[in-house]
Amino acid sequence: MGDALKDKIADVFNEPACGTNLSKSEQQRKKGCAKPLTPGAAAGGCAFDGAKIVLQPIVDVAHLVHAPLACEGNGWDNRGAASSGSDRYRTGFTTDMTELDIVMGHGERKLFRAIRELVEAEQPPAVFVYSTCVPALIGDDIDAVCKVASEKFATPCIPINAPGYVGSKNLGNKLAGEAMLDHVIGTVEPEFTTPYDINIVGDYNLSGELWQVKPLLDKLGIRILGSLAADARYKQVAMMHRARVTMMVCSKALINVARKLEERHGIPFFEGSFYGISDTSDSLRRMCRLLVDQGADTDLLDRCEALIAQEEAQIWADLDPFRPRVAGRKVLLYTGGHKSWSVVAALQELGMEVIGTSIRKATEEDKGRVVDIMGDDKHMFDNMAPKDMYRLLKDAGADVLMSGGRSQFVALKAKMPWVDVNQEKHEPYAGYMGMVDLLNAIDRAVNNPMWAELREPAPWDEPLTESRVLPALSGNCPVTGIPAGASRPVVTTVAPEPAPVTAPAEGVAAFPSSETDFEDC
Amino acid sequence: MARLKHPKRALSTNPLKSSTPLGAALAYLGIERAIPLFHGSQGCTAFAMVHLVRHFKEAVPLQTTAMNEVSTILGGADQIEEAIENLRAKSAPRFIGIASTALTETRGEDVVGELKEIVARRRDFDDTAIVYASTPDFDGALQDGWAKAVEAIIDALVPSVTERDPDLRQVTLLAGSHLTPAEIEELVRLVRAFGLTPIVLPDISSSLDGHVSDDWRGTSLGGTTIEDIARCARSGFTLAVGESMRGAAKLLEDKAMVPYRVFQSVTGLKPVDAFVRTLMGLSGQQDAPPSVKRDRSRLIDAALDAHFHTGGLKVAIGADPDLLFALSTTLASMGAEIVTAVTTSQHTPLIDRMPCDEVILGDLGDFERSARENGARMLITHSHGRHAAHRLHLPLVRAGFPIFDRIGAQDINRVGYRGTRAFLYEIANTVQAEHHRASPEDFGAAPIPEEFEHVPHAATC
């Protein structure tokens, strides 16, 4: 690993704006945020994955992965970040390094040629070049290649140094942020600025969630000037330094970007969420307050309150029809972070009961919130093995599991309704209007008549009560021609149950005739 | 006779390939109570797992040795040992299939040696079969990884035999990576119809067929048992399906003197005839069971109905070599023209035999370009082809791995008489679903002048 990358990682681990980090001792801090990975018990993505997650939603950029096939071949086209413009980010570009490239050390040259071909074919506003394990291991200097290519092709080529083996997805998020700080942010000046310009950081516009919020901002006259990376254009990243306020959405993944924007350009940031009614209102309030502090007109605060009052009244009216359909249903939550907690208050308001939640990635603050909302900490559980979760779901009497995709099949195989509340979901649940979509999803899941049918016992789960009436098999099977007899499995008949109060009629007549055909002999 | 075209370019646009270790993982998942283990950084596993889950819509037990920067430099033997230990403690697998990745291969680890040492030292690992295949991401494609894993399984778990003692009713069916669970099931049905008992290796038809079981184990739920793998040594014959299974079949012959035959395709009338003919020979039956004869006559009828739509049809197809061969020869035999063939691996002798002029060793960028230039009317490739289909306004028949924007990929059957019949219907119906209404311009005539067109009256109120 290059010294530059090593310094970056040390820098990222020493995050002064991160509360968790501050509470650690000097020695703990050196170990970094990531837990050491256990061989045979690790799950989740690597640093490269994390970098790609953060940057891929920049829609007009060509994302070029310098790697052997697996890194891009197994991973492209798998996230639902929506674009209102270019589709270039959906195209998988890779150098597809072969054995020969590696052994002969052709990596850098191939990368340079790939950038040239890419620029010629696509004329993108920029090329993001991701380094992965293998080129990092053989010492390809992507910084140098990018530097030369940028000059030669008059297109910014941005090196993203986040090989998988340096750490977790979370670390990769931050390294991607660093790359933006080093090479992109501040390189383009906007044509004009207003006191209502903001940055959105750490939202990925999955299924178009940002667009559920944008109408609110439009009504308040707030402009998304800079973005990393919801439906962002390259220029929006480059112009982030001219916004007045940064909103960090939902997660601390890119806190280094938010903090450095504040330090370098005096842009204050706050962490907010657009999931749930109260959190959305809260985020709007804080955004407007900070904008006013930064010089926006004070009437923004009044307009904000008026908007919130109007929107909240509207959304509760819209949600009311769901009340009888979900009231009394029991929800089990299994997610990281506090994303889903943002909606718990609303679910409870609608009469649903939250019977448990995981606190695997939750901070102390989140745990406090759990206690606030649920009254005690009895319902919090830690990480759970799928096996235990399967048992719990079968036994707990929950009506629905809300979780990320990883638990999907645990729930479904336990014949339990499941609602996706994580990044892979296919529906947008943000802002006020997103709550209607979420309630729709819950309603669809728990009230599907299929569940009752699937949980019915199989025909053979209950003993026969009628006596056997058909003669034993004899002769050849009409399909296979194999003779019945010794080679066939012996059919043991079930002893009839003791005679019911009204004795069944003798023989076949006891079976009601059926319209259905049975397929096999 | 096709020649291989290797585009001279550094940039790969929209990969067609899935990686070699992923192929190995898929094969390992066809063993009962198995956990595949990637020797690499955890991202290698995460990407592969998401890929598999998106295709099969099942939880996939895939694990990683979680190489970090330190173990990458110092060597990962400890990581492997620790991983095996943790997997055994957590899920008690009977089989752990290890696949290397680009990371560990670039470093150049001697995993075979290290593993031998670990297994010799850790007697407590004895009740878990541990198999290793070298599968660098930078060489070959999914099909190659699958083949290497199957060879590794045979090498490790089939006993060497010096004297033949065959069970003449038992055959080994070596299933290639291009077969879906439903296709394996269809072949098993055919084999059984002749009174023969197949041991399928690897058998994803019982582990990845999409069933709900009564418990949750954290390993594969179904697949070839360890005992059955060992019993392959006593099979009367080996039926290898897919050219890529030739190596594995040869290995079985070397180890246990089991004669074999490779079926490069079991899709299309003639290839299935050859398969059935072999089964007749093996079972000593002069006649085929009535159900098989009936299926054949129904296929012939389907071909008669379908040929109106397949004759002259220009098709672009992108797939791993075995699948490319099976589907394109079937279509060619029905009068279709393969105008674009893109494949993922040069490690196959099939290229020469593809029914087209050239085969591009490339990606979906090449696929799209060539399909456009050559006027293809239909695309056949996996789900990633949807972008090309969208841009070219052409129908896409999904085949291969991954298929993530349709459900039921495990149930698609295109082998045997029945599967071929379904495939012909699928192609013919896709052609018919394309609405093409001719206009005068299509034939070079001037369009009808606008003043002849009826203009609706404005509403009166």
Side-chain angles (χ1 to χ4, degrees):
Chain A
M1 187 187 327
D3 285 341
L5 181 55
K6 216 175 274 175
D7 292 346
K8 270 284 167 247
I9 291 172
D11 183 36
V12 161
F13 278 157
N14 185 18
E15 177 54 61
C18 172
T20 319
N21 195 50
L22 280 182
S23 63
K24 285 177 179 171
S25 71
E26 188 61 33
Q27 204 165 12
Q28 280 174 314
R29 210 172 299 167
K30 269 197 185 133
K31 283 188 189 149
C33 311
K35 288 193 191 101
L37 300 171
T38 318
C46 57
F48 159 67
D49 195 10
K52 196 84 189 295
I53 288 173
V54 166
L55 299 180
Q56 178 132 6
I58 304 171
V59 296
D60 53 357
V61 162
H63 300 271
L64 172 60
V65 180
H66 185 37
L69 173 92
C71 305
E72 185 68 351
N74 292 353
W76 73 287
D77 189 19
N78 68 355
R79 289 200 178 85
S83 165
S84 60
S86 172
D87 260 347
R88 189 171 294 116
Y89 72 118
R90 286 191 199 280
T91 308
F93 296 111
T94 173
T95 52
D96 189 5
M97 297 178 84
T98 61
E99 190 158 21
L100 212 60
D101 299 326
I102 294 164
V103 176
M104 307 296 285
H106 287 166
E108 289 175 3
R109 218 175 314 160
K110 190 172 199 186
L111 175 59
F112 185 77
R113 279 176 43 216
I115 295 174
R116 185 176 61 211
E117 289 168 21
L118 183 48
V119 171
E120 278 169 5
E122 294 271 335
Q123 289 104 41
V127 181
F128 283 9
V129 177
Y130 300 79
S131 169
T132 61
C133 293
V134 170
L137 201 60
I138 62 174
D140 280 0
D141 187 347
I142 68 161
D143 290 72
V145 175
C146 283
K147 193 154 175 263
V148 178
S150 299
E151 287 163 14
K152 193 117 184 167
F153 309 130
T155 301
C157 299
I158 314 300
I160 320 284
N161 272 304
Y165 61 74
V166 300
S168 68
K169 199 143 85 173
N170 189 286
L171 175 62
N173 295 157
K174 294 189 166 59
L175 291 175
E178 289 294 324
M180 294 302 101
L181 286 163
D182 288 350
H183 300 286
V184 183
I185 294 172
T187 56
V188 173
E189 291 297 329
E191 276 178 28
F192 66 94
T193 59
T194 75
Y196 302 95
D197 290 343
I198 61 161
N199 288 326
I200 300 262
V201 166
D203 179 278
Y204 307 125
N205 195 33
L206 299 167
S207 315
E209 287 191 323
L210 184 72
W211 304 333
Q212 295 185 309
V213 177
K214 194 164 181 296
L216 302 171
L217 303 179
D218 292 345
K219 281 180 196 164
L220 293 170
I222 294 172
R223 173 171 78 146
I224 302 173
L225 173 73
S227 181
L228 187 69
D231 191 20
R233 314 300 189 268
Y234 176 72
K235 279 188 179 164
Q236 282 186 286
V237 184
M239 295 189 298
M240 285 176 85
H241 63 299
R242 290 295 178 234
R244 298 299 173 94
V245 167
T246 301
M247 174 169 173
M248 200 166 67
V249 180
C250 275
S251 153
K252 292 196 165 66
L254 287 169
I255 193 166
N256 52 332
V257 175
R259 174 177 60 86
K260 287 186 180 170
L261 278 171
E262 180 163 34
E263 284 173 8
R264 293 181 191 174
H265 306 287
I267 307 168
F269 70 91
F270 72 102
E271 191 184 348
S273 159
F274 285 122
Y275 287 109
I277 295 165
S278 53
D279 277 27
T280 302
S281 300
D282 191 42
S283 296
L284 290 176
R285 278 195 190 101
R286 290 170 70 188
M287 185 185 291
C288 292
R289 164 58 55 197
L290 281 175
L291 281 170
V292 169
D293 289 349
Q294 290 287 96
D297 209 56
T298 44
D299 84 315
L300 179 62
L301 297 178
D302 300 333
R303 288 194 289 125
C304 178
E305 286 306 327
L307 179 73
I308 288 172
Q310 185 196 346
E311 293 282 339
E312 286 200 357
Q314 182 61 48
I315 194 65
W316 282 116
D318 291 346
L319 290 178
D320 213 44
F322 288 103
R323 195 179 294 272
R325 300 187 61 81
V326 300
R329 301 308 184 108
K330 295 175 182 151
V331 184
L332 190 66
L333 280 174
Y334 192 78
T335 77
H338 72 252
K339 250 186 301 210
S340 47
W341 272 104
S342 309
V343 303
V344 164
L347 298 185
Q348 289 187 325
E349 175 70 22
L350 289 168
M352 295 187 76
E353 191 186 334
V354 179
I355 60 167
T357 180
S358 73
I359 47 164
R360 335 172 254 171
K361 289 188 211 160
T363 60
E364 286 306 315
E365 194 184 336
D366 290 337
K367 288 178 196 164
R369 246 177 118 177
V370 176
V371 176
D372 280 351
I373 295 176
M374 302 190 38
D376 56 43
D377 60 1
K378 280 182 208 146
H379 305 282
M380 299 195 283
F381 53 86
D382 249 327
N383 214 353
M384 196 178 267
K387 208 193 292 184
D388 301 325
M389 190 177 196
Y390 180 83
R391 281 258 68 84
L392 177 75
L393 289 175
K394 281 207 133 179
D395 304 341
D399 290 305
V400 58
L401 175 73
M402 293 172 70
S403 76
R406 221 177 277 279
S407 324
Q408 171 177 185
F409 300 106
V410 184
L412 295 182
K413 299 276 175 179
K415 298 175 187 167
M416 165 75 60
W418 174 75
V419 175
D420 194 346
V421 288
N422 212 346
Q423 55 160 341
E424 301 92 352
K425 66 185 179 307
H426 297 291
E427 284 187 25
Y429 300 142
Y432 300 110
M433 67 172 85
M435 282 302 288
V436 175
D437 297 310
L438 178 64
L439 262 294
N440 247 320
I442 295 174
D443 180 16
R444 271 199 321 264
V446 299
N447 290 321
N448 193 320
M450 174 196 81
W451 297 111
E453 214 166 274
L454 290 191
R455 289 169 186 152
E456 286 284 303
W460 47 84
D461 283 345
E462 281 167 5
L464 282 173
T465 49
E466 303 84 358
S467 55
R468 219 186 112 136
V469 290
L470 294 175
L473 287 171
S474 65
N476 295 348
C477 171
V479 176
T480 60
I482 299 171
S487 66
R488 286 199 168 255
V490 181
V491 181
T492 47
T493 53
V494 181
E497 294 277 287
V501 189
T502 52
E506 278 292 307
V508 179
F511 285 90
S513 62
S514 165
E515 302 280 318
T516 338
D517 290 325
F518 293 95
E519 243 198 341
D520 225 331
C521 69
Chain B
M1 179 81 184
R3 67 201 147 70
L4 187 67
K5 181 177 166 194
H6 200 138
K8 288 264 173 286
R9 51 163 174 64
L11 177 70
S12 174
T13 307
N14 293 344
L16 171 70
K17 272 189 274 194
S18 288
S19 76
T20 329
L22 192 148
L26 198 49
Y28 290 145
L29 287 168
I31 309 298
E32 203 210 18
R33 301 206 69 158
I35 298 182
L37 175 67
F38 279 7
H39 188 32
S41 101
Q42 74 163 342
C44 306
T45 306
F47 283 122
M49 181 144 83
V50 170
H51 219 35
L52 286 164
V53 168
R54 288 179 91 200
H55 179 87
F56 286 105
K57 313 277 189 286
E58 296 289 329
V60 173
L62 191 61
Q63 261 302 340
T64 172
T65 58
M67 296 289 278
N68 53 36
E69 41 168 328
V70 178
S71 54
T72 301
I73 305 303
L74 299 180
D78 293 348
Q79 305 283 116
I80 294 179
E81 184 172 340
E82 205 183 326
I84 296 171
E85 189 170 321
N86 287 330
L87 288 181
R88 282 172 44 84
K90 209 171 48 170
S91 311
R94 287 204 65 198
F95 176 93
I96 294 176
I98 307 176
S100 65
T101 61
L103 175 65
T104 49
E105 290 286 346
T106 303
R107 190 190 167 271
E109 300 210 342
D110 173 26
V111 179
V112 178
E114 312 253 26
L115 197 60
K116 201 175 271 175
E117 193 267 325
I118 292 171
V119 173
R121 182 160 43 78
R122 297 294 299 261
R123 304 314 300 184
D124 54 323
F125 290 174
D126 278 359
D127 53 345
T128 307
I130 301 169
V131 165
Y132 168 79
S134 158
T135 51
D137 298 293
F138 47 72
D139 188 31
L142 181 138
Q143 174 181 311
D144 302 298
W146 172 289
K148 283 180 176 174
V150 175
E151 284 163 28
I153 291 166
I154 292 172
D155 195 41
L157 302 179
V158 176
S160 284
V161 168
T162 48
E163 233 162 275
R164 273 297 265 161
D165 169 28
D167 175 351
L168 291 176
R169 287 271 151 195
Q170 177 188 307
V171 294
T172 304
L173 183 69
L174 291 178
S177 63
H178 58 307
L179 297 176
T180 67
E183 289 175 337
I184 292 174
E185 220 167 80
E186 176 68 16
L187 294 178
V188 164
R189 185 181 154 277
L190 259 178
V191 173
R192 282 195 197 285
F194 287 85
L196 302 167
T197 312
I199 294 179
V200 184
L201 180 69
D203 189 3
I204 58 169
S205 80
S206 52
S207 61
L208 288 170
D209 55 338
H211 63 277
V212 174
S213 79
D214 290 333
D215 64 345
W216 189 276
R217 282 211 301 247
T219 62
S220 62
L221 301 164
T224 323
T225 61
I226 303 286
E227 290 77 16
D228 271 352
I229 297 172
R231 286 174 51 230
C232 286
R234 287 201 59 214
S235 287
F237 201 74
T238 299
L239 304 164
V241 178
E243 177 61 36
S244 61
M245 289 291 97
R246 187 180 295 276
K250 270 188 181 155
L251 192 59
L252 265 178
E253 189 185 45
D254 291 346
K255 292 203 81 169
M257 298 184 285
V258 187
Y260 69 90
R261 181 158 179 202
V262 178
F263 299 87
Q264 292 171 331
S265 164
V266 279
T267 302
L269 182 63
K270 283 297 127 198
V272 184
D273 279 351
F275 190 71
V276 166
R277 185 79 194 162
T278 306
L279 293 176
M280 285 170 61
L282 288 174
S283 61
Q285 289 188 38
Q286 281 302 331
D287 200 5
S291 64
V292 174
K293 290 162 90 172
R294 183 173 155 78
D295 283 339
R296 186 175 190 279
S297 76
R298 293 187 68 190
L299 168 58
I300 287 173
D301 188 58
L304 293 171
D305 295 344
H307 84 281
F308 295 108
H309 308 288
T310 55
L313 178 67
K314 292 184 171 183
V315 179
I317 177 164
D320 277 358
D322 279 352
L323 184 62
L324 181 70
F325 181 78
L327 298 187
S328 58
T329 49
T330 305
L331 289 172
S333 76
M334 289 292 297
E337 189 190 341
I338 309 299
V339 294
T340 293
V342 185
T343 198
T344 55
S345 168
Q346 73 271 45
H347 302 306
T348 177
L350 284 182
I351 303 280
D352 290 343
R353 309 197 49 207
M354 298 287 179
C356 49
D357 295 333
E358 73 174 17
V359 175
I360 305 171
L361 185 64
D363 51 40
L364 290 175
D366 301 313
F367 177 77
E368 187 175 332
R369 206 171 307 121
S370 169
R372 177 181 279 129
E373 281 165 11
N374 296 320
R377 297 311 313 159
M378 179 184 290
L379 307 179
I380 303 180
T381 187
H382 54 59
S383 282
H384 285 304
R386 62 198 174 134
H387 301 292
H390 181 73
R391 283 187 289 264
L392 299 175
H393 305 290
L394 290 179
L396 170 67
V397 170
R398 286 157 178 81
F401 179 92
I403 295 173
F404 51 77
D405 57 348
R406 293 285 184 274
I407 63 168
Q410 76 280 7
D411 267 3
I412 295 170
N413 175 17
R414 297 184 179 119
V415 305
Y417 295 128
R418 301 205 302 181
T420 305
R421 191 172 95 226
F423 179 52
L424 296 186
Y425 288 154
E426 186 182 20
I427 296 295
N429 288 336
T430 306
V431 172
Q432 292 184 83
E434 280 302 284
H435 275 275
H436 176 72
R437 287 190 304 180
S439 64
E441 298 89 312
D442 287 344
F443 306 102
I448 304 296
E450 255 177 47
E451 63 257 40
F452 294 168
E453 292 285 349
H454 170 70
V455 180
H457 298 291
T460 46
C461 55

